[in-house]
Amino acid sequence: MRKNLLEVVLIEDDEVEIEAVTRALKNLHIAHDLTVFRSGIDALISLRQQRKHLRRAYPFFLLLDLTMPDLPGLQFLRQLRQDPFLRTALVFVLTNSGAEEDKLAAYDYQVAGYLIKSNLGPDYCRLTDLVLALHQVVEFPNR
């Protein structure tokens, strides 16, 4: 693992959104690995299988779409928070929904932030600001 490597997991089924996040992260010019899952179920299975790797991969965070076809984002969060290791994952909801009930439910699952896609600016510039701050300012444990 490279020192200060940023590990990002994107759980999103929309190709346009995947491309937007991919481009935004490339524009940061910082060492990162992006893993994309187009299925919440596939993401849970893979993340559970990779626990040993993920314990050493900090900073590590998830970008989660709420409207996944196989496992809706809130159900994904419930299962994630029940897992002994994955429950500590830093999760940002990345969604089109501005519904207050979705926000409340997401924060009930201790998300780090609720990001509405239309508020992220051109080329997702506000997402890159957030990711850069996580990388440069936030301290993560040594694992």
Side-chain angles (χ1 to χ4, degrees), residues 112-125:
Y114 191 97
L115 311 173
I116 299 174
K117 294 173 184 177
S118 62
N119 294 343
L120 294 177
D123 299 323
Y124 278 24
C125 62

